[in-house]
Amino acid sequence: MKILMFGRGTIATLYGWALEKAGHEVEFYVRPGRAATLGSLVDLQIRDGRARRGAAVVQHWPITLREELTARHDYDLIVLSVNHDQLDNAIGFLSPRVGDATVLMFGNVWAEPSAVVSRLPGDQVVWAFPGGGGGFTGSTLRGGVLKNIFMGFCEGSNRTERYQTVRALFKDAGFSVSEQPDFRTWLWIHFIMDAGLLTQGLAVGGQARLVASREAVKQSVLLVREMIPLVQARGGTPGRGAALISRVPAELLGFLLHRLLAGKNLYSFIMEEVERTGHMTRESAGLYARDVLAEARRIGFPMPRLASLETVFAL
Ligand SMILES: NC(=O)C1=CN([C@@H]2O[C@H](COP(=O)(O)OP(=O)(O)OC[C@H]3O[C@@H](n4cnc5c(N)ncnc54)[C@H](OP(=O)(O)O)[C@@H]3O)[C@@H](O)[C@H]2O)C=CC1
Ligand SMILES: CC(C)(CO)C(=O)C(=O)O
């Protein structure tokens, strides 16, 4: 398969590498003028959750950057993994250039998913979310991929041939796919979990401090708990996981989440690399809470706990 990763960001590079290793032809679209600065080599210092014990990968990886994309391209798949506030712009650029490619939406979304992709041909859009992460320092990529990725359906999308092809692409590359039928709600719940953790991280002076404190992790659970009804108010249908967050004592949830975040596992390693590389600035981390609070205010939904931390995440 011929694959275009949109941008040469963290997720695009991690999964571009994994897909190229699985035998596909992978290229990166970067903004005009960026190829020379980015260079055609990435230093990978990552861990691969598909291998035993998340084996380390240290490799100089030559990549192909493209600064141009016309509608007459021959890519089978375009992987769109940009920050949620960059989606509108990226899709505006892509919409007249999609051609016959499948577009894989592969990152955070907080707006209405069907509205986000409304300028793309609906039957060419497939939804997924990465199970990996990290960040760049210069041309060195630190982080990793978990074995699992998430896929699912938003309004108007379903188990089409294109969906099956993308699913098979990842499975054949050694990933396991966790299928979430109501992907719209899944994306929103994931987003508020990011918002809770990132906001509390900002409140205590960084994700490393958050992870070191069971109390701070518990506070992030309370933030997420407050946000779940907002997802419902927007028409989402939070399932069992969200019900657990709402009902299980925060002390216990804080304890369990703290164990996951502070434990020696690939997920906590990846989150440490996000922090260590400075991938999230104060501004980008605060964006999650700003967007959640803006939506709450837009629909008149009270969110006192989050609002009380506004000075922490305001611009
Ligand atoms: N990093 C992580 O640990 C994780 C990230 N995610 C999610 O995955 C998504 C991608 O994140 P991540 O890879 O970290 O983000 P990055 O900021 O690392 O990468 C985004 C890339 O997209 C490029 N880009 C954005 N808009 C355009 C455009 N219009 N034209 C050309 N290039 C563009 C950016 O280029 P430029 O620099 O020129 O703007 C940048 O290279 C996000 O939704 C994020 O929340 C999910 C799990 C973990
Ligand atoms: C790691 C983080 C918060 C930042 O990129 C992220 O985007 C995610 O896990 O969804």
Side-chain angles (χ1 to χ4, degrees), residues 66-105:
R66 298 272 177 235
E67 290 185 344
E68 211 192 5
L69 179 66
T70 69
R72 291 202 316 280
H73 63 73
D74 61 350
Y75 297 108
D76 304 297
L77 177 69
I78 298 175
V79 178
L80 183 54
S81 193
V82 299
N83 298 292
H84 67 279
D85 58 329
Q86 299 176 315
L87 277 171
D88 194 44
N89 201 275
I91 288 177
F93 173 83
L94 268 184
S95 71
R97 297 171 172 85
V98 171
D100 189 41
T102 297
V103 179
L104 180 66
M105 300 295 294

Side-chain angles (χ1 to χ4, degrees), residues 6-14 29-32 34 38 80-84 86-87 89-91 93 106-109 129-136 190 194 270-271 274 279-280 288:
F6 191 87
R8 199 234 49 182
T10 303
I11 297 298
T13 310
L14 282 169
Y29 169 76
V30 297
R31 298 178 203 271
R34 294 275 279 147
L38 288 169
L80 183 54
S81 193
V82 299
N83 298 292
H84 67 279
Q86 299 176 315
L87 277 171
N89 201 275
I91 288 177
F93 173 83
F106 202 48
N108 271 302
V109 175
F129 195 89
F136 270 96
H190 186 273
D194 280 354
I270 289 171
M271 287 303 136
V274 171
H279 177 69
M280 297 299 279
Y288 288 72

